[in-house]
Amino acid sequence: MLQILRTRLNQGHRTTKFPLELPVLPQRFRGRPEIDGTKCPEGCRECADACPTEAIAVSGGLSLDLGKCLFCTACVDACPPGAIQYTTDYRLAVNRRKDMVLSTGDLKLAERMRDDLHRILGRALRLREVCAGSCNACDLDTNVLNTVGWDLSRFGIQFVASPRHADGLLVTGAIPRNMRHALIETYEAVPAPKVVIALGACAISGGPFAGSPEVNNGLGDLLPVDLYIPGCPPHPVTILDGLLRLIGKMPSAGDAR
């Protein structure tokens, strides 16, 4: 027993201090893309043609839809140096689907839920996660937030087993046809008022399966979405950043990079 206690003391504090301090990100971390259309040759479509999800548009100027982006770097490899590049900026969550289309690299980050919701849900948020046909990558990175390294519950956010005990849904996956009814039924079982979060490219736009008759091209066509968190999958720090913005617990220090 003494050996166990001694080992634990030597380990020290293992929970990240985010949002007051940014955790050490992986060397290959791919965050918010930066776009510089001035470096593109006139009439060039190399990046758009290389994108597997048609996330890039060149008509009317270069733009990139984060809701469709898989962060695969196919565009970076196809483009002239500096035209498109990924940064280490983990802040990606937004409130509106249209805010995910980048043309300059700027992004209107998510804001706190509206006042009437915040008055009821802002102090403690209980979420029911629905895996609607995902590959489980988004689910796994979400589950990481429940470990001692992140300790999501210290912010008053917890995942629950029943939608009747939840304040909202967190949805992953491309929502195949056979899951639509179950998803809508789960949403209806959540007591009002409630929030809906679309997590990952598949839930936001259908991801690599968009256009297939077997999947839905985005959760927003089925349910009113309050928060979009892009990525394939989003990093845990990106997910936590979005959740904290939604409930208004992101201090100004959390935006310092």
Side-chain angles (χ1 to χ4, degrees), residues 35-236:
I35 299 174
D36 186 356
T38 63
K39 297 184 178 180
C40 297
E42 184 176 354
C44 180
R45 290 187 45 87
E46 293 294 328
C47 58
D49 293 339
C51 181
T53 58
E54 300 181 349
I56 299 176
V58 295
S59 59
L62 183 64
S63 65
L64 189 155
D65 187 344
L66 283 179
K68 297 180 178 180
C69 182
L70 303 181
F71 292 75
C72 66
T73 73
C75 57
V76 176
D77 297 336
C79 280
I84 300 178
Q85 56 186 347
Y86 288 95
T87 71
T88 57
D89 192 342
Y90 60 89
R91 302 170 300 172
L92 298 171
V94 302
N95 295 119
R96 300 181 301 176
R97 178 68 181 88
K98 65 180 183 179
D99 289 337
M100 308 187 74
V101 180
L102 299 178
S103 58
T104 62
D106 293 333
L107 190 66
K108 181 175 173 53
L109 295 172
E111 298 177 348
R112 196 188 78 177
M113 65 179 76
R114 64 180 192 266
D115 290 343
D116 58 333
L117 278 175
H118 187 262
R119 185 173 61 254
I120 300 174
L121 308 179
R123 294 174 63 92
L125 187 65
R126 305 292 184 261
L127 296 172
R128 174 65 168 95
E129 182 178 356
V130 179
C131 175
S134 80
C135 69
N136 290 141
C138 290
D139 307 273
L140 291 173
D141 270 7
T142 301
N143 289 342
V144 165
L145 296 177
N146 293 313
T147 66
V148 67
W150 297 88
D151 190 14
L152 181 65
S153 61
R154 64 193 161 113
F155 301 108
I157 306 173
Q158 294 180 337
F159 289 94
V160 295
S162 171
R164 300 191 186 279
H165 300 159
D167 302 312
L169 300 182
L170 185 147
V171 182
T172 65
I175 316 174
R177 180 169 53 185
N178 292 337
M179 272 296 299
R180 293 175 192 170
H181 179 71
L183 175 60
I184 294 174
E185 288 284 303
T186 303
Y187 172 77
E188 292 177 348
V190 178
K194 48 194 168 186
V195 296
V196 176
I197 301 168
L199 180 67
C202 288
I204 295 172
S205 67
F209 312 103
S212 168
E214 298 301 321
V215 304
N216 203 73
N217 292 335
L219 179 62
D221 293 339
L222 295 176
L223 301 176
V225 179
D226 300 276
L227 184 69
Y228 294 92
I229 307 178
C232 187
H235 189 277

